Amino acid sequence: MSNEDVKVYQDKKAKAEDFKSSAYTLFIMGVLGLAALILMELGVLPIQFAAPAKYFTYAVMGGLFVVFIIIGIVSFRSSKIYEKEAEKEENLTSKIKDWAHSSLSVENIVELADCAEESQEEARYFAYFAVIKKKVEQKFGTLETSYLESICEELYAEIFEADS
């Protein structure tokens, strides 16, 4: 697996918020830009363009602001989609964590891990992580790799820090 294959997990709720903030920003900038162009043409704003390029400039800038508005609307729709997916993801995460806290213990994980007690801490971490990952996959089936690894890291920390 190369570095290009590694994906950092970003939960759906964060993606929805990112899309929503981008949507508002793009939409507002597009509307304000178009309003500024109209006010400039009406002479309300004291900014004037040279006559030969005036309408070309308005057309290019107006087109850009219309694109901002369109992308803002598309981003807002995407945020709605991710909000729905986020709810499903939060429910699944909750189920996985509830199951793990009731089914997995430090002793159980250590027993199932293929590593000696005298192994280095890093080697034990990877062995314990593999056990948690395998157990979650056995119970909940195939999950997106980055999501699975993210939830397993959280579970590792919760299970082993609770025992400390």
Side-chain angles (χ1 to χ4, degrees):
M1 181 185 299
S2 70
N3 287 340
E4 296 164 0
D5 296 333
V6 176
K7 295 180 182 174
V8 176
Y9 177 71
Q10 182 182 21
D11 66 21
K12 302 282 192 259
K13 189 174 186 177
K15 283 184 181 181
E17 290 300 318
D18 286 348
F19 273 97
K20 187 181 278 187
S21 66
S22 295
Y24 284 124
T25 301
L26 288 165
F27 188 79
I28 290 169
M29 293 307 296
V31 169
L32 290 175
L34 285 177
L37 288 177
I38 292 168
L39 293 174
M40 285 169 33
E41 181 59 25
L42 294 174
V44 176
L45 291 178
I47 302 170
Q48 298 295 319
F49 293 115
K54 178 179 183 177
Y55 295 108
F56 179 73
T57 303
Y58 283 153
V60 171
M61 290 177 64
L64 181 66
F65 292 132
V66 168
V67 169
F68 281 4
I69 292 169
I70 292 169
I71 294 173
I73 292 168
V74 170
S75 292
F76 190 71
R77 287 183 182 161
S78 295
S79 77
K80 292 293 184 191
I81 292 169
Y82 278 115
E83 284 175 358
K84 290 176 185 173
E85 290 178 8
E87 189 175 321
K88 292 177 187 174
E89 183 180 82
E90 287 175 1
N91 289 336
L92 178 59
T93 299
S94 178
K95 287 178 187 176
I96 291 171
K97 286 186 174 189
D98 290 345
W99 169 82
H101 290 299
S102 65
S103 302
L104 298 175
S105 66
V106 173
E107 296 79 20
N108 179 262
I109 293 169
V110 170
E111 181 181 314
L112 293 171
D114 186 26
C115 106
E117 276 298 314
E118 61 276 353
S119 298
Q120 291 182 341
E121 186 175 337
E122 183 178 345
R124 286 195 310 265
Y125 166 81
F126 286 115
Y128 299 161
F129 183 86
V131 169
I132 294 170
K133 187 175 176 181
K134 180 179 176 185
K135 289 294 189 180
V136 170
E137 284 180 315
Q138 286 174 344
K139 178 68 177 173
F140 294 94
T142 304
L143 301 169
E144 180 186 341
T145 304
S146 58
Y147 172 72
L148 176 62
E149 290 183 359
S150 173
I151 194 76
C152 288
E153 285 177 17
E154 289 178 31
L155 289 172
Y156 178 89
E158 291 171 7
I159 291 169
F160 282 90
E161 286 177 8
D163 189 57
S164 299

